[in-house]
Amino acid sequence: SIACWGRNADGQAPPGGVDGDFVAVSAGWSFSLALRRDGSVRCWGCNEYGQAPPAGVDGDFVAIAAGGFHSLALRRDGRVTCWGNNEYDQAPTEGVVGQFFAHND
């Protein structure tokens, strides 16, 4: 589970935390993401731009990142999936094509 603290005006840091089997967490502007062990993404907090869909995001992800008002996730096959605000092309809806990988030091 994930422990949360701090300002919780938009539900981004619920005092009771978030239950689940998570391997990574990332915080954006008024929202948070967590990568589940099964590869799906759990989202909570402000979803004004679609950056944190309450139903989460299904997929076979290995890494996540939260921006100001957008989210990114790296799929196991090396593609990047994006959602949320794309006003400045920071989260293209078609994703980012390439063979990216998560580096573990």
Side-chain angles (χ1 to χ4, degrees):
S1 66
I2 297 171
C4 305
W5 59 93
R7 184 170 182 209
N8 189 40
D10 294 308
Q12 71 270 32
V18 179
D19 289 330
D21 188 15
F22 302 108
V23 295
V25 64
S26 186
W29 185 263
S30 295
F31 73 100
S32 301
L33 309 172
L35 179 61
R36 290 186 175 109
R37 190 169 303 282
D38 70 3
S40 64
V41 178
R42 168 87 159 81
C43 310
W44 62 95
C46 180
N47 188 39
E48 182 177 354
Y49 298 100
Q51 72 272 31
V57 180
D58 289 330
D60 191 16
F61 300 110
V62 296
I64 55 172
F69 301 99
H70 66 285
S71 301
L72 310 170
L74 177 63
R75 292 184 180 276
R76 189 169 307 282
D77 68 6
R79 293 178 296 139
V80 174
T81 298
C82 311
W83 61 93
N85 188 337
N86 189 38
E87 183 176 358
Y88 301 105
D89 296 324
Q90 70 270 40
T93 54
E94 66 279 2
V96 180
V97 178
Q99 287 299 310
F100 304 101
F101 64 95
H103 191 274
N104 295 320
D105 285 354

